[in-house]
Amino acid sequence: VSRSPFGGLNYTICDHDGKFLKHGRIAEQAAPNQILYSLCNRIVKTAWENRSQVILEANGGKNDRMPLRDDRCLSNGQYAALAGILKYKLPEKRLPPPVEVSANGLFFTCPRCSNRTFRNRISSELFACIECGYASEAEWIGSENLAGRLIKYQRDKVPLTVTKQKDSLLFYNRTLGFECTLPQNVTDYQPMYDELSRYLRDLGGAFQNDPKKYAVWKKLCRSPDLRAAVRLILK
Ligand SMILES: [Zn+2]
């Protein structure tokens, strides 16, 4: 669910493989003090009907480079407030809380190949990727990117940084809060994977209010093979 250049919100729904299902606009005529609540109700209803995970722009959509903005558009402050309301409105309906992803250049990033350049915007109405040729009306680019972002992210491996200490190797992932040390001359990292596996089990997933941590935890827990789900970054 992104901000809409025409006021209110635009949403895109895709399936678990990232295949486009439908999109729509959510706009409400309501008193200024009611507008956010009525928009939220519409989002919750749509998410409920489609059994969806709601994905929002982080930081109120700051730097999303939305085209055609005018005074009907939701401000960054209003969009951030909307995210705040959804954090408890969605769980009330037994839906997961919204996930917020970076909004930087959201409206001129290609939803198909992720190429991000202002030259992708042919006009204020039309988007066409200079890399892969993907074309769409500019207003849908934001929500299309959001809808696909989590799937792209889930396909990506979880980074685990490895640094050399004095006579040991330190493995860590800050989002997860995981740290493990092995002797530097070790040839098999299996003890680290065992430690990670224990760590994930002990965490138990009781931190739904931290969506980033929860997403990483869930991704690793669901993976049949930890080694295949992790990408080691040597520093
Ligand atoms: Zn492209």
Side-chain angles (χ1 to χ4, degrees), residues 109-116 120 127-135:
T109 302
C110 176
R112 188 157 73 191
C113 75
S114 304
N115 174 43
R116 184 195 295 181
N120 287 341
F127 176 99
C129 176
I130 58 164
E131 230 12 81
C132 76
Y134 180 82

Side-chain angles (χ1 to χ4, degrees), residues 163-170 181-185 235:
T163 56
K164 276 186 186 171
Q165 311 287 81
K166 243 190 206 154
D167 44 10
S168 62
L169 290 172
L170 173 69
T181 315
L182 293 184
Q184 200 173 115
N185 57 0
K235 263 198 182 156

